[in-house]
Amino acid sequence: MATVMTAYRFALDPAPAQERMLRSHAGAARFAWNWGLARCKERYAAERKWYSAAELHKLWNAAKKADPDLAWWAENSKCAYQEAFRNLDRALRDFVKSKKGLRKGRRLGFPRRKKKGKARDSFRLTGTIRCAGTAVTLPRLGTVKTHEPAGKLAAKLEDGSARVLSATVSRTAQRWFVSFTVGEERDAPERHARTGSAIGVDLGVKTLLAGVDDQGSLVTVHGPKPLRAAMRRLRRASRARSRRQPGSGRRRRAAARLGRLHARVASVRADALHKATARLAARYETVVMEDLNVTGMTANRKLARAVSDQGFGTARRMLAYKTARNGGTLLVADRWYPSSKTCSDCGSVKAKLTLKDRIFACDYCGHTEDRDVNAARNLLSLAASGAERLNARRAAVRPGPAGHAALKREPGTAHAGRTGTAAPQGTAAA
Ligand SMILES: [Zn+2]
């Protein structure tokens, strides 16, 4: 048995009074964040250190009783404040880590004040959380209708195979969502049903993903039709908005429409990725993908949309927990491994390959192949060299010549309790 963290996300259909409470809670969380940030800045000026979440909570409890202007606090669950302090605490620690270079990804700035209307409306609740049929019951907010049935999760909570750890409520465009972080007990098989099977996948710019498996078969998954259609509408809406006068009512309406379309694209994409990654994890014991420097690439604006559209980070998280669930492994190739630039036939590395070059053509042996497929082939050969060592050590491996093509096990693919690595904190809807 392994404990796997999964996220379940539901759209909410709150009654008008409940919607007011949701807004109020989001406001409370924003207030607490700003209040805590101000206290931290004061302390930093005097003592060169900040408050922890627990200290902020204590200060807040004293302040809310002493200051009559804060009497409204009682209208919202105390969790909203407490969890906002936790978020702030984490943001401050992440900032320090990022500054010291101990944190992967984009450089993080110092946490900023959250402005109403600018910052995303969001708050987190802990405590007794239930769900049944088409409704969820949250502390303080009571029973709120969900847009789609919550029965699958309800059944797992009922039989004790899952436990809700927290619920995050947020608003995207005009729609409220609740996302549950759930710890699930699952029977993860010791070995995959298809022992020895492997696939190298490349998350494409054009295709959702392209892969080559150990039998030499090509596996290509295109973005689904609804996604392409939604993308077209999105582009149109984006142009429409930029034609409107800034500050005008029409501009505001166009922006709202754009927001709704963005939300639609994200959900269609997540759905497509869920299906594709579930199939991969069920079919292949070892899945190899690239550790694409997503933040580095998104800095390039032209590519930004294409990359984020394909949901690279999402796909990777999904593959991490889905392979683990099937007794398989996700291997991540070092981000400097030139999978796209290497010829899968003779191994020579091209000096330059731009993103516009959709076809890989080797300058030495003349091998010509679709760019993504060529990359997937290279990743697969990494799997072949990495798999043996992986089985011997069940840990990080550095296969390949001179070890420059380092592979690592994705953190989170380890079964909880077996190696002590935490299960992935899934952010994907299930
Ligand atoms: Zn070649």
Side-chain angles (χ1 to χ4, degrees):
M1 280 295 224
T3 304
V4 180
M5 299 295 226
T6 321
Y8 286 81
R9 187 168 182 258
F10 301 102
L12 296 174
D13 284 331
Q18 287 176 325
E19 162 124 46
R20 279 195 294 280
M21 283 181 82
L22 295 176
R23 284 185 192 277
S24 170
H25 274 77
R30 192 167 50 234
F31 183 89
W33 168 283
N34 291 338
W35 186 89
L37 186 59
R39 298 295 82 76
C40 285
K41 281 181 177 165
E42 284 164 14
R43 187 180 195 187
Y44 194 80
E47 303 171 47
R48 312 302 284 172
K49 61 182 189 185
W50 299 307
Y51 291 114
S52 70
E55 288 169 329
L56 282 172
H57 191 221
K58 220 183 258 173
L59 282 177
W60 169 251
N61 281 340
K64 77 188 184 190
K65 281 176 206 143
D67 187 349
D69 284 348
L70 296 177
W72 53 263
W73 75 268
E75 289 163 25
N76 307 297
S77 162
K78 63 182 192 313
C79 290
Y81 308 95
Q82 212 167 323
E83 295 297 320
F85 295 143
R86 287 205 183 128
N87 287 348
L88 176 61
D89 188 318
R90 178 164 338 123
L92 286 166
R93 275 183 286 131
D94 283 348
F95 162 71
V96 173
K97 268 194 226 154
S98 179
K99 212 174 158 194
K100 288 184 183 160
L102 298 171
R103 193 180 181 281
K104 269 215 241 174
R106 178 171 56 93
R107 265 295 184 93
L108 292 178
F110 188 78
R112 283 200 271 180
R113 274 182 65 83
K114 291 186 192 288
K115 283 195 195 110
K116 188 178 179 181
K118 281 259 185 226
R120 180 179 164 84
D121 277 344
S122 164
F123 60 94
R124 190 163 57 234
L125 299 170
T126 53
T128 313
I129 294 161
R130 283 191 304 269
C131 71
T134 53
V136 295
T137 306
L138 301 169
R140 203 58 193 273
L141 293 152
T143 301
V144 185
K145 275 206 173 133
T146 55
H147 197 64
E148 59 272 294
K152 211 172 118 190
L153 175 59
K156 287 180 181 168
L157 298 179
E158 181 82 8
D159 70 19
S161 63
R163 199 157 59 89
V164 175
L165 303 174
S166 69
T168 302
V169 180
S170 63
R171 189 172 60 84
T172 302
Q174 287 314 307
R175 177 122 246 175
W176 287 91
F177 292 91
V178 63
S179 177
F180 296 117
T181 303
V182 175
E184 281 185 63
E185 293 302 320
R186 286 178 188 268
D187 285 315
E190 269 296 305
R191 283 299 314 251
H192 195 272
R194 294 179 74 239
T195 310
S197 57
I199 187 167
V201 280
D202 194 47
L203 272 272
V205 174
K206 265 242 162 77
T207 46
L208 198 59
L209 54 90
V212 177
D213 72 8
D214 53 315
Q215 305 297 313
S217 315
L218 295 186
V219 179
T220 315
V221 181
H222 292 280
K225 240 189 204 156
L227 181 62
R228 277 174 279 159
M231 283 296 297
R232 267 197 305 278
R233 281 200 295 277
L234 185 66
R235 273 193 292 273
R236 225 176 298 136
S238 162
R239 278 196 301 270
R241 187 197 55 169
S242 48
R243 277 198 303 268
R244 305 288 176 227
Q245 193 85 36
S248 69
R250 298 177 80 187
R251 169 89 169 205
R252 220 172 26 250
R253 280 193 299 279
R257 181 174 147 70
L258 188 63
R260 281 195 303 276
L261 283 169
H262 266 296
R264 161 97 188 130
V265 165
S267 93
V268 173
R269 181 184 66 208
D271 193 53
L273 281 173
H274 262 299
K275 288 187 183 127
T277 53
R279 271 200 305 273
L280 282 183
R283 271 193 70 74
Y284 300 101
E285 179 174 39
T286 309
V287 178
V288 196
M289 73 187 289
E290 249 173 316
D291 181 5
L292 192 66
N293 183 0
V294 182
T295 39
M297 282 183 97
T298 11
N300 171 351
R301 288 195 46 210
K302 241 189 185 164
L303 195 69
R305 215 196 49 208
V307 170
S308 48
D309 280 347
Q310 300 297 352
F312 186 89
T314 313
R316 187 169 148 171
R317 276 192 301 278
M318 288 177 181
L319 280 171
Y321 74 80
K322 288 180 187 184
T323 48
R325 201 186 267 181
N326 284 282
T329 314
L330 172 68
L331 291 176
V332 178
D334 190 275
R335 81 169 51 149
W336 306 118
Y337 174 63
S339 70
S340 298
K341 288 192 212 162
T342 306
C343 173
S344 60
D345 215 28
C346 72
S348 69
V349 180
K350 248 178 140 66
K352 210 177 161 206
L353 184 77
T354 68
L355 273 156
K356 277 202 303 258
D357 302 331
R358 300 309 313 156
I359 301 289
F360 177 91
C362 181
D363 301 330
Y364 292 86
C365 72
H367 174 70
T368 311
E369 195 164 36
D370 176 86
R371 169 209 184 91
D372 296 341
V373 173
N374 179 62
R377 263 191 223 287
N378 287 323
L379 289 170
L380 178 68
S381 53
L382 275 188
S385 54
E388 272 167 55
R389 289 166 214 219
L390 181 80
N391 288 336
R393 222 146 58 83
R394 281 264 154 209
V397 281
R398 281 180 89 80
H404 74 213
L407 272 178
K408 65 178 188 227
R409 282 193 89 193
E410 173 71 346
T413 55
H415 297 217
R418 194 150 87 198
T419 60
T421 313
Q425 199 83 34
T427 43

